[in-house]
Amino acid sequence: YAPASGQISGILKQMLDTMEKDLAEMTATEDAAIKDFEGLSAAKTKEIEADGAAIESKTERLGKTGLEIVALKEDIDDTSKAMADDKQFLADLDKNCATKKQEWEERSSTRADELVA
């Protein structure tokens, strides 16, 4: 009788070598994928932080711009009211000047009459 266990041991050893080689390749592939994922994750985290900072900056700028718009609208309103008051003052001034001019002419005429007399 010749034992055949040597042939079986050889097949098992060959299967073990093949499986260890496959495991090493898969482990290396998985390690590379993990490294790529960590790099991508870090890049995306930095991008999210930068976008968050940009959002905060733009929100702050939006708030300031809103306040400036309100202030400018109030300035326009105040300026419009002041312009209306100034126009009224000008109209009153023209009227008062015309009245004073007429009074002066009457006074001058009366004085001239008194001097002639």
PDB file of all heavy atoms in Angstrom, residues 89-117:
ATOM      1  N   PHE A  89     -40.241 126.939   2.785  1.00  0.00           N
ATOM      2  CA  PHE A  89     -39.552 128.131   3.265  1.00  0.00           C
ATOM      3  C   PHE A  89     -39.239 129.077   2.104  1.00  0.00           C
ATOM      4  O   PHE A  89     -39.408 130.301   2.230  1.00  0.00           O
ATOM      5  CB  PHE A  89     -38.246 127.725   3.975  1.00  0.00           C
ATOM      6  CG  PHE A  89     -37.429 128.894   4.436  1.00  0.00           C
ATOM      7  CD1 PHE A  89     -37.807 129.623   5.553  1.00  0.00           C
ATOM      8  CD2 PHE A  89     -36.288 129.277   3.748  1.00  0.00           C
ATOM      9  CE1 PHE A  89     -37.050 130.711   5.976  1.00  0.00           C
ATOM     10  CE2 PHE A  89     -35.538 130.351   4.160  1.00  0.00           C
ATOM     11  CZ  PHE A  89     -35.910 131.077   5.280  1.00  0.00           C
ATOM     12  N   LEU A  90     -38.813 128.530   0.969  1.00  0.00           N
ATOM     13  CA  LEU A  90     -38.518 129.349  -0.204  1.00  0.00           C
ATOM     14  C   LEU A  90     -39.777 130.057  -0.701  1.00  0.00           C
ATOM     15  O   LEU A  90     -39.728 131.241  -1.036  1.00  0.00           O
ATOM     16  CB  LEU A  90     -37.916 128.479  -1.319  1.00  0.00           C
ATOM     17  CG  LEU A  90     -37.565 129.194  -2.622  1.00  0.00           C
ATOM     18  CD1 LEU A  90     -36.491 130.264  -2.372  1.00  0.00           C
ATOM     19  CD2 LEU A  90     -37.092 128.196  -3.666  1.00  0.00           C
ATOM     20  N   ALA A  91     -40.889 129.310  -0.738  1.00  0.00           N
ATOM     21  CA  ALA A  91     -42.143 129.928  -1.190  1.00  0.00           C
ATOM     22  C   ALA A  91     -42.540 131.039  -0.228  1.00  0.00           C
ATOM     23  O   ALA A  91     -42.948 132.131  -0.665  1.00  0.00           O
ATOM     24  CB  ALA A  91     -43.241 128.873  -1.275  1.00  0.00           C
ATOM     25  N   ASP A  92     -42.435 130.797   1.065  1.00  0.00           N
ATOM     26  CA  ASP A  92     -42.757 131.826   2.068  1.00  0.00           C
ATOM     27  C   ASP A  92     -41.808 133.006   1.938  1.00  0.00           C
ATOM     28  O   ASP A  92     -42.217 134.167   2.064  1.00  0.00           O
ATOM     29  CB  ASP A  92     -42.671 131.244   3.483  1.00  0.00           C
ATOM     30  CG  ASP A  92     -43.777 130.255   3.779  1.00  0.00           C
ATOM     31  OD1 ASP A  92     -44.771 130.220   3.023  1.00  0.00           O
ATOM     32  OD2 ASP A  92     -43.636 129.492   4.773  1.00  0.00           O
ATOM     33  N   LEU A  93     -40.531 132.713   1.676  1.00  0.00           N
ATOM     34  CA  LEU A  93     -39.534 133.772   1.531  1.00  0.00           C
ATOM     35  C   LEU A  93     -39.863 134.645   0.321  1.00  0.00           C
ATOM     36  O   LEU A  93     -39.801 135.886   0.405  1.00  0.00           O
ATOM     37  CB  LEU A  93     -38.138 133.152   1.395  1.00  0.00           C
ATOM     38  CG  LEU A  93     -36.955 134.115   1.403  1.00  0.00           C
ATOM     39  CD1 LEU A  93     -36.885 134.858   2.730  1.00  0.00           C
ATOM     40  CD2 LEU A  93     -35.672 133.350   1.162  1.00  0.00           C
ATOM     41  N   ASP A  94     -40.218 134.002  -0.806  1.00  0.00           N
ATOM     42  CA  ASP A  94     -40.605 134.774  -1.999  1.00  0.00           C
ATOM     43  C   ASP A  94     -41.816 135.652  -1.695  1.00  0.00           C
ATOM     44  O   ASP A  94     -41.855 136.837  -2.073  1.00  0.00           O
ATOM     45  CB  ASP A  94     -40.926 133.833  -3.173  1.00  0.00           C
ATOM     46  CG  ASP A  94     -39.676 133.190  -3.757  1.00  0.00           C
ATOM     47  OD1 ASP A  94     -38.569 133.725  -3.523  1.00  0.00           O
ATOM     48  OD2 ASP A  94     -39.817 132.154  -4.444  1.00  0.00           O
ATOM     49  N   LYS A  95     -42.787 135.076  -0.987  1.00  0.00           N
ATOM     50  CA  LYS A  95     -44.001 135.833  -0.636  1.00  0.00           C
ATOM     51  C   LYS A  95     -43.655 136.988   0.307  1.00  0.00           C
ATOM     52  O   LYS A  95     -44.100 138.123   0.102  1.00  0.00           O
ATOM     53  CB  LYS A  95     -45.001 134.881   0.031  1.00  0.00           C
ATOM     54  CG  LYS A  95     -46.294 135.534   0.431  1.00  0.00           C
ATOM     55  CD  LYS A  95     -47.199 134.520   1.111  1.00  0.00           C
ATOM     56  CE  LYS A  95     -48.403 135.210   1.715  1.00  0.00           C
ATOM     57  NZ  LYS A  95     -49.188 134.309   2.542  1.00  0.00           N
ATOM     58  N   ASN A  96     -42.836 136.698   1.310  1.00  0.00           N
ATOM     59  CA  ASN A  96     -42.456 137.740   2.263  1.00  0.00           C
ATOM     60  C   ASN A  96     -41.630 138.827   1.586  1.00  0.00           C
ATOM     61  O   ASN A  96     -41.788 140.021   1.897  1.00  0.00           O
ATOM     62  CB  ASN A  96     -41.674 137.142   3.435  1.00  0.00           C
ATOM     63  CG  ASN A  96     -42.535 136.295   4.336  1.00  0.00           C
ATOM     64  OD1 ASN A  96     -43.757 136.417   4.329  1.00  0.00           O
ATOM     65  ND2 ASN A  96     -41.909 135.415   5.107  1.00  0.00           N
ATOM     66  N   CYS A  97     -40.753 138.430   0.683  1.00  0.00           N
ATOM     67  CA  CYS A  97     -39.941 139.418  -0.029  1.00  0.00           C
ATOM     68  C   CYS A  97     -40.835 140.311  -0.890  1.00  0.00           C
ATOM     69  O   CYS A  97     -40.619 141.528  -0.957  1.00  0.00           O
ATOM     70  CB  CYS A  97     -38.889 138.742  -0.902  1.00  0.00           C
ATOM     71  SG  CYS A  97     -37.479 138.110   0.047  1.00  0.00           S
ATOM     72  N   ALA A  98     -41.799 139.716  -1.537  1.00  0.00           N
ATOM     73  CA  ALA A  98     -42.716 140.506  -2.372  1.00  0.00           C
ATOM     74  C   ALA A  98     -43.502 141.476  -1.494  1.00  0.00           C
ATOM     75  O   ALA A  98     -43.686 142.651  -1.860  1.00  0.00           O
ATOM     76  CB  ALA A  98     -43.660 139.579  -3.140  1.00  0.00           C
ATOM     77  N   THR A  99     -43.938 140.993  -0.341  1.00  0.00           N
ATOM     78  CA  THR A  99     -44.682 141.854   0.584  1.00  0.00           C
ATOM     79  C   THR A  99     -43.788 142.988   1.082  1.00  0.00           C
ATOM     80  O   THR A  99     -44.202 144.163   1.105  1.00  0.00           O
ATOM     81  CB  THR A  99     -45.201 141.031   1.785  1.00  0.00           C
ATOM     82  OG1 THR A  99     -45.991 139.961   1.300  1.00  0.00           O
ATOM     83  CG2 THR A  99     -46.010 141.874   2.727  1.00  0.00           C
ATOM     84  N   LYS A 100     -42.557 142.658   1.474  1.00  0.00           N
ATOM     85  CA  LYS A 100     -41.633 143.696   1.968  1.00  0.00           C
ATOM     86  C   LYS A 100     -41.287 144.692   0.851  1.00  0.00           C
ATOM     87  O   LYS A 100     -41.167 145.893   1.113  1.00  0.00           O
ATOM     88  CB  LYS A 100     -40.337 143.053   2.493  1.00  0.00           C
ATOM     89  CG  LYS A 100     -40.520 142.203   3.717  1.00  0.00           C
ATOM     90  CD  LYS A 100     -40.884 143.049   4.910  1.00  0.00           C
ATOM     91  CE  LYS A 100     -41.031 142.176   6.145  1.00  0.00           C
ATOM     92  NZ  LYS A 100     -41.421 142.920   7.312  1.00  0.00           N
ATOM     93  N   LYS A 101     -41.149 144.190  -0.361  1.00  0.00           N
ATOM     94  CA  LYS A 101     -40.844 145.081  -1.475  1.00  0.00           C
ATOM     95  C   LYS A 101     -41.994 146.064  -1.703  1.00  0.00           C
ATOM     96  O   LYS A 101     -41.780 147.269  -1.911  1.00  0.00           O
ATOM     97  CB  LYS A 101     -40.590 144.255  -2.747  1.00  0.00           C
ATOM     98  CG  LYS A 101     -40.169 145.082  -3.940  1.00  0.00           C
ATOM     99  CD  LYS A 101     -39.854 144.195  -5.131  1.00  0.00           C
ATOM    100  CE  LYS A 101     -39.418 145.037  -6.308  1.00  0.00           C
ATOM    101  NZ  LYS A 101     -39.139 144.217  -7.484  1.00  0.00           N
ATOM    102  N   GLN A 102     -43.201 145.540  -1.640  1.00  0.00           N
ATOM    103  CA  GLN A 102     -44.377 146.407  -1.826  1.00  0.00           C
ATOM    104  C   GLN A 102     -44.461 147.427  -0.692  1.00  0.00           C
ATOM    105  O   GLN A 102     -44.721 148.612  -0.936  1.00  0.00           O
ATOM    106  CB  GLN A 102     -45.647 145.546  -1.866  1.00  0.00           C
ATOM    107  CG  GLN A 102     -46.898 146.348  -2.127  1.00  0.00           C
ATOM    108  CD  GLN A 102     -48.150 145.472  -2.134  1.00  0.00           C
ATOM    109  OE1 GLN A 102     -48.072 144.273  -1.911  1.00  0.00           O
ATOM    110  NE2 GLN A 102     -49.284 146.081  -2.381  1.00  0.00           N
ATOM    111  N   GLU A 103     -44.218 146.962   0.559  1.00  0.00           N
ATOM    112  CA  GLU A 103     -44.248 147.891   1.693  1.00  0.00           C
ATOM    113  C   GLU A 103     -43.163 148.946   1.528  1.00  0.00           C
ATOM    114  O   GLU A 103     -43.379 150.130   1.829  1.00  0.00           O
ATOM    115  CB  GLU A 103     -44.049 147.131   3.006  1.00  0.00           C
ATOM    116  CG  GLU A 103     -45.228 146.285   3.417  1.00  0.00           C
ATOM    117  CD  GLU A 103     -44.934 145.440   4.647  1.00  0.00           C
ATOM    118  OE1 GLU A 103     -43.800 145.520   5.201  1.00  0.00           O
ATOM    119  OE2 GLU A 103     -45.825 144.679   5.059  1.00  0.00           O
ATOM    120  N   TRP A 104     -41.992 148.560   1.061  1.00  0.00           N
ATOM    121  CA  TRP A 104     -40.895 149.509   0.865  1.00  0.00           C
ATOM    122  C   TRP A 104     -41.250 150.530  -0.203  1.00  0.00           C
ATOM    123  O   TRP A 104     -40.969 151.720  -0.041  1.00  0.00           O
ATOM    124  CB  TRP A 104     -39.616 148.759   0.499  1.00  0.00           C
ATOM    125  CG  TRP A 104     -38.474 149.686   0.195  1.00  0.00           C
ATOM    126  CD1 TRP A 104     -37.961 149.985  -1.017  1.00  0.00           C
ATOM    127  CD2 TRP A 104     -37.753 150.487   1.122  1.00  0.00           C
ATOM    128  NE1 TRP A 104     -36.957 150.890  -0.912  1.00  0.00           N
ATOM    129  CE2 TRP A 104     -36.810 151.232   0.422  1.00  0.00           C
ATOM    130  CE3 TRP A 104     -37.825 150.649   2.516  1.00  0.00           C
ATOM    131  CZ2 TRP A 104     -35.931 152.109   1.029  1.00  0.00           C
ATOM    132  CZ3 TRP A 104     -36.933 151.519   3.102  1.00  0.00           C
ATOM    133  CH2 TRP A 104     -35.998 152.236   2.362  1.00  0.00           C
ATOM    134  N   GLU A 105     -41.837 150.052  -1.273  1.00  0.00           N
ATOM    135  CA  GLU A 105     -42.240 150.983  -2.332  1.00  0.00           C
ATOM    136  C   GLU A 105     -43.274 151.968  -1.815  1.00  0.00           C
ATOM    137  O   GLU A 105     -43.217 153.165  -2.117  1.00  0.00           O
ATOM    138  CB  GLU A 105     -42.769 150.220  -3.546  1.00  0.00           C
ATOM    139  CG  GLU A 105     -41.674 149.515  -4.326  1.00  0.00           C
ATOM    140  CD  GLU A 105     -42.219 148.656  -5.463  1.00  0.00           C
ATOM    141  OE1 GLU A 105     -43.443 148.632  -5.683  1.00  0.00           O
ATOM    142  OE2 GLU A 105     -41.398 147.999  -6.120  1.00  0.00           O
ATOM    143  N   GLU A 106     -44.224 151.500  -1.023  1.00  0.00           N
ATOM    144  CA  GLU A 106     -45.236 152.399  -0.449  1.00  0.00           C
ATOM    145  C   GLU A 106     -44.575 153.395   0.500  1.00  0.00           C
ATOM    146  O   GLU A 106     -44.884 154.591   0.478  1.00  0.00           O
ATOM    147  CB  GLU A 106     -46.298 151.588   0.306  1.00  0.00           C
ATOM    148  CG  GLU A 106     -47.238 150.822  -0.575  1.00  0.00           C
ATOM    149  CD  GLU A 106     -48.213 149.967   0.210  1.00  0.00           C
ATOM    150  OE1 GLU A 106     -48.292 150.113   1.454  1.00  0.00           O
ATOM    151  OE2 GLU A 106     -48.884 149.126  -0.411  1.00  0.00           O
ATOM    152  N   ARG A 107     -43.657 152.901   1.335  1.00  0.00           N
ATOM    153  CA  ARG A 107     -42.976 153.774   2.281  1.00  0.00           C
ATOM    154  C   ARG A 107     -42.126 154.812   1.532  1.00  0.00           C
ATOM    155  O   ARG A 107     -42.113 155.999   1.892  1.00  0.00           O
ATOM    156  CB  ARG A 107     -42.084 152.927   3.187  1.00  0.00           C
ATOM    157  CG  ARG A 107     -41.853 153.571   4.515  1.00  0.00           C
ATOM    158  CD  ARG A 107     -41.058 152.700   5.479  1.00  0.00           C
ATOM    159  NE  ARG A 107     -41.629 151.379   5.680  1.00  0.00           N
ATOM    160  CZ  ARG A 107     -40.926 150.260   5.786  1.00  0.00           C
ATOM    161  NH1 ARG A 107     -39.613 150.289   5.721  1.00  0.00           N
ATOM    162  NH2 ARG A 107     -41.513 149.106   5.966  1.00  0.00           N
ATOM    163  N   SER A 108     -41.402 154.321   0.491  1.00  0.00           N
ATOM    164  CA  SER A 108     -40.572 155.239  -0.292  1.00  0.00           C
ATOM    165  C   SER A 108     -41.439 156.285  -0.994  1.00  0.00           C
ATOM    166  O   SER A 108     -41.080 157.469  -1.069  1.00  0.00           O
ATOM    167  CB  SER A 108     -39.764 154.474  -1.337  1.00  0.00           C
ATOM    168  OG  SER A 108     -38.842 153.616  -0.704  1.00  0.00           O
ATOM    169  N   SER A 109     -42.563 155.842  -1.523  1.00  0.00           N
ATOM    170  CA  SER A 109     -43.475 156.762  -2.208  1.00  0.00           C
ATOM    171  C   SER A 109     -44.028 157.784  -1.222  1.00  0.00           C
ATOM    172  O   SER A 109     -44.074 158.987  -1.508  1.00  0.00           O
ATOM    173  CB  SER A 109     -44.612 155.965  -2.854  1.00  0.00           C
ATOM    174  OG  SER A 109     -45.574 156.825  -3.362  1.00  0.00           O
ATOM    175  N   THR A 110     -44.427 157.296  -0.044  1.00  0.00           N
ATOM    176  CA  THR A 110     -44.969 158.203   0.977  1.00  0.00           C
ATOM    177  C   THR A 110     -43.898 159.182   1.420  1.00  0.00           C
ATOM    178  O   THR A 110     -44.149 160.385   1.558  1.00  0.00           O
ATOM    179  CB  THR A 110     -45.465 157.388   2.186  1.00  0.00           C
ATOM    180  OG1 THR A 110     -46.403 156.424   1.754  1.00  0.00           O
ATOM    181  CG2 THR A 110     -46.097 158.292   3.219  1.00  0.00           C
ATOM    182  N   ARG A 111     -42.695 158.734   1.629  1.00  0.00           N
ATOM    183  CA  ARG A 111     -41.601 159.609   2.047  1.00  0.00           C
ATOM    184  C   ARG A 111     -41.283 160.650   0.974  1.00  0.00           C
ATOM    185  O   ARG A 111     -41.033 161.814   1.275  1.00  0.00           O
ATOM    186  CB  ARG A 111     -40.376 158.769   2.374  1.00  0.00           C
ATOM    187  CG  ARG A 111     -39.262 159.624   2.916  1.00  0.00           C
ATOM    188  CD  ARG A 111     -38.182 158.712   3.449  1.00  0.00           C
ATOM    189  NE  ARG A 111     -37.042 159.529   3.726  1.00  0.00           N
ATOM    190  CZ  ARG A 111     -36.598 159.783   4.938  1.00  0.00           C
ATOM    191  NH1 ARG A 111     -37.188 159.283   5.974  1.00  0.00           N
ATOM    192  NH2 ARG A 111     -35.543 160.530   5.114  1.00  0.00           N
ATOM    193  N   ALA A 112     -41.271 160.144  -0.287  1.00  0.00           N
ATOM    194  CA  ALA A 112     -41.006 161.085  -1.382  1.00  0.00           C
ATOM    195  C   ALA A 112     -42.083 162.155  -1.431  1.00  0.00           C
ATOM    196  O   ALA A 112     -41.798 163.350  -1.657  1.00  0.00           O
ATOM    197  CB  ALA A 112     -40.932 160.333  -2.716  1.00  0.00           C
ATOM    198  N   ASP A 113     -43.332 161.742  -1.215  1.00  0.00           N
ATOM    199  CA  ASP A 113     -44.431 162.715  -1.184  1.00  0.00           C
ATOM    200  C   ASP A 113     -44.245 163.704  -0.026  1.00  0.00           C
ATOM    201  O   ASP A 113     -44.511 164.907  -0.184  1.00  0.00           O
ATOM    202  CB  ASP A 113     -45.774 162.016  -1.062  1.00  0.00           C
ATOM    203  CG  ASP A 113     -46.159 161.250  -2.321  1.00  0.00           C
ATOM    204  OD1 ASP A 113     -45.543 161.528  -3.380  1.00  0.00           O
ATOM    205  OD2 ASP A 113     -47.046 160.368  -2.252  1.00  0.00           O
ATOM    206  N   GLU A 114     -43.803 163.193   1.125  1.00  0.00           N
ATOM    207  CA  GLU A 114     -43.608 164.063   2.273  1.00  0.00           C
ATOM    208  C   GLU A 114     -42.451 165.039   2.026  1.00  0.00           C
ATOM    209  O   GLU A 114     -42.526 166.210   2.423  1.00  0.00           O
ATOM    210  CB  GLU A 114     -43.287 163.224   3.524  1.00  0.00           C
ATOM    211  CG  GLU A 114     -44.488 162.497   4.080  1.00  0.00           C
ATOM    212  CD  GLU A 114     -44.105 161.616   5.244  1.00  0.00           C
ATOM    213  OE1 GLU A 114     -42.907 161.507   5.595  1.00  0.00           O
ATOM    214  OE2 GLU A 114     -45.017 160.997   5.839  1.00  0.00           O
ATOM    215  N   LEU A 115     -41.423 164.598   1.356  1.00  0.00           N
ATOM    216  CA  LEU A 115     -40.279 165.453   1.073  1.00  0.00           C
ATOM    217  C   LEU A 115     -40.659 166.536   0.048  1.00  0.00           C
ATOM    218  O   LEU A 115     -40.169 167.658   0.114  1.00  0.00           O
ATOM    219  CB  LEU A 115     -39.090 164.636   0.567  1.00  0.00           C
ATOM    220  CG  LEU A 115     -38.388 163.801   1.619  1.00  0.00           C
ATOM    221  CD1 LEU A 115     -37.295 162.954   0.966  1.00  0.00           C
ATOM    222  CD2 LEU A 115     -37.789 164.652   2.717  1.00  0.00           C
ATOM    223  N   VAL A 116     -41.492 166.175  -0.878  1.00  0.00           N
ATOM    224  CA  VAL A 116     -41.930 167.130  -1.899  1.00  0.00           C
ATOM    225  C   VAL A 116     -42.824 168.184  -1.233  1.00  0.00           C
ATOM    226  O   VAL A 116     -42.774 169.355  -1.580  1.00  0.00           O
ATOM    227  CB  VAL A 116     -42.645 166.414  -3.067  1.00  0.00           C
ATOM    228  CG1 VAL A 116     -43.326 167.405  -3.979  1.00  0.00           C
ATOM    229  CG2 VAL A 116     -41.668 165.544  -3.819  1.00  0.00           C
ATOM    230  N   ALA A 117     -43.607 167.794  -0.296  1.00  0.00           N
ATOM    231  CA  ALA A 117     -44.558 168.684   0.309  1.00  0.00           C
ATOM    232  C   ALA A 117     -43.928 169.610   1.280  1.00  0.00           C
ATOM    233  O   ALA A 117     -43.159 170.291   1.504  1.00  0.00           O
ATOM    234  CB  ALA A 117     -45.595 167.917   1.067  1.00  0.00           C
TER     235      ALA A 117
END
